[in-house]
Amino acid sequence: MTFHVRRRAAHARAAYRPSAIVAIPVQDEGVDLGNILAALGAQCDLHGHALAPASVAVLLLFDGCSDARWERMETLRGSHMPSWIAIDGDLPEASRHAGGARRAALLKALALAAPETTLIATTNADSMVPAMWLARQIDWLARGCEVVMGMAQRPTFDDMDPALESQHRLEMVYARWLDRIDAMLDPIDHDPWPRHRTPSSASLGFKREALQAMLPLPAPAHAHEQALIQRCVTLDLKIRADANLQVHNPSLAALHAGGMRSNRPLPFEPLVHAVTRSILRGQLRARHRAGTLSAETLTGSFAMPTEHAHAALKMPTFGRLWHEVEHSSPLLQHTPLLPSHLPREIEAALAWFNACMAGSTGPSTLAPAKRQARKVASLDLS
């Protein structure tokens, strides 16, 4: 991708050798960059001690910055600021969107990485990152993870219609239950509970070598953070979805509030379908890891066409294999959930989880979900 550079500026601290580089695309002229830069200049380790000033660098990538904005940015210097490099230029017309800007910023950060650079993180220009944001990500990388996926804080909307606010709260509760059930049915050693499944542009971090392995980076106009994480999944990169690594981002909160409608389809599935998906993925992952997966398993237990089953088995990673299975198996077709069904699905999820923890069949209200789960769990995946 071509990025025509028009001008550059820098603020370098002494002995500049960054172990972490933060890539920030800047497209909104009205954002005060002083807040995010000050927060990144005040990062500390997991014991609360300030990080060495030279260990953090920020890459600011502007897509057509005004002269006035550039002059304001040039004043953001001093001992409370991290080292930063600002690049102003023009993205190609086809890439002048959030995904194109994020990709350009990550590529510039990758090009700036030194041998000492462990982490390349990215957030938004109006984010408010916590003091240990970088340290938590570096710690997960040190434990063997390759990608760290934080969360945008769940906002409260004082001016939201009460019915929509109630729906928003129900969505949060149901998403949390689905995450908990998924972690139980498809456990992953490097991504234990609490974890989540909601990528956010407010908090993504990559090991330098992992970001290099992801090239070429995807850059769709919409949902680019999901596309980046999906790229990681297909490569079987070790993703840590840290539910406790939360970043406040006002623009994302406003976008979520503006997009809420009481009758819109939700990104979730009814419990019975979510349980089925988690069980099948967990069992397929175990078979793939053990090397005992066969075409007969995919055609029989997953009802996949024979040619699709053989094609899936040729995939070089589990992530790519699962992608093929999800798209080919009639058992795994997405079933949308209506907002009006959220209360009953939350009740079912709570009862299902409690029944599983107690080792009982649970209340009769959960019979359909339990029957489906028992049916799936008893499949012979040999």
Side-chain angles (χ1 to χ4, degrees), residues 156-170:
T156 57
F157 305 111
D158 296 334
D159 56 348
M160 182 183 284
D161 177 87
L164 290 182
E165 182 176 1
S166 175
Q167 178 185 314
H168 172 70
R169 295 181 185 278
L170 289 174

Side-chain angles (χ1 to χ4, degrees), residues 14 40 45 51 55 65 90 93 144 160 181 189 194 216 243 247 295 323 337 340 364:
L40 291 172
D45 64 21
L51 295 182
S55 67
C65 180
D90 299 300
E93 189 62 34
M160 182 183 284
I181 291 171
D189 290 343
V247 172
H323 179 78
L337 176 67
S340 59
S364 60

Side-chain angles (χ1 to χ4, degrees), residues 294-322:
S294 67
E296 289 72 21
T297 297
L298 299 180
T299 56
S301 299
F302 290 81
M304 289 178 64
T306 301
E307 63 274 18
H308 291 189
H310 285 286
L313 289 175
K314 295 178 182 178
M315 294 296 105
T317 64
F318 175 76
R320 290 186 62 181
L321 178 132
W322 176 248

Side-chain angles (χ1 to χ4, degrees), residues 73-132:
M73 182 273 303
E74 287 265 31
T75 67
L76 300 175
R77 303 175 185 273
S79 59
H80 64 297
M81 292 292 178
S83 296
W84 54 256
I85 298 171
I87 303 174
D88 179 31
D90 299 300
L91 287 165
E93 189 62 34
S95 299
R96 301 200 77 175
H97 48 67
R102 183 80 55 187
R103 176 175 60 184
L106 286 170
L107 290 176
K108 291 293 184 184
L110 188 58
L112 289 170
E116 297 83 6
T117 304
T118 301
L119 169 70
I120 296 178
T122 187
T123 187
N124 297 324
D126 64 337
S127 292
M128 302 176 191
V129 299
M132 296 181 186

Side-chain angles (χ1 to χ4, degrees), residues 44-60:
C44 58
D45 64 21
L46 297 180
H47 301 289
H49 303 131
L51 295 182
S55 67
V56 179
V58 182
L59 184 283
L60 300 166

Side-chain angles (χ1 to χ4, degrees), residues 184-328:
M184 180 179 70
L185 297 176
D186 183 17
I188 300 173
D189 290 343
H190 60 264
D191 193 24
W193 177 257
R195 70 191 198 198
H196 68 97
R197 295 177 294 173
T198 312
S200 172
S201 58
S203 185
L204 291 173
F206 307 91
K207 191 174 182 178
R208 177 168 52 89
E209 295 84 355
L211 190 61
Q212 185 74 45
M214 290 168 60
L215 299 178
L217 299 179
H222 304 287
H224 67 276
E225 57 274 73
Q226 286 94 331
L228 285 167
I229 292 301
Q230 184 57 39
R231 177 76 170 141
C232 299
V233 170
T234 61
L235 293 172
D236 280 359
L237 296 178
K238 293 182 178 179
I239 304 169
R240 173 55 179 145
D242 188 350
N244 294 319
L245 183 62
Q246 300 196 9
V247 172
H248 178 55
N249 193 259
S251 61
L252 290 180
L255 182 65
H256 183 83
M260 289 193 69
R261 302 187 307 276
S262 60
N263 62 344
R264 82 193 197 285
L266 299 175
F268 315 116
E269 294 183 291
L271 178 68
V272 59
H273 297 282
V275 166
T276 298
R277 189 176 304 276
S278 295
I279 290 176
L280 287 176
R281 189 189 332 105
Q283 293 189 351
L284 200 65
R285 191 191 305 277
R287 291 286 182 178
H288 183 266
R289 186 183 300 119
T292 58
L293 190 57
S294 67
E296 289 72 21
T297 297
L298 299 180
T299 56
S301 299
F302 290 81
M304 289 178 64
T306 301
E307 63 274 18
H308 291 189
H310 285 286
L313 289 175
K314 295 178 182 178
M315 294 296 105
T317 64
F318 175 76
R320 290 186 62 181
L321 178 132
W322 176 248
H323 179 78
E324 293 296 321
V325 171
E326 272 198 308
H327 281 74
S328 300

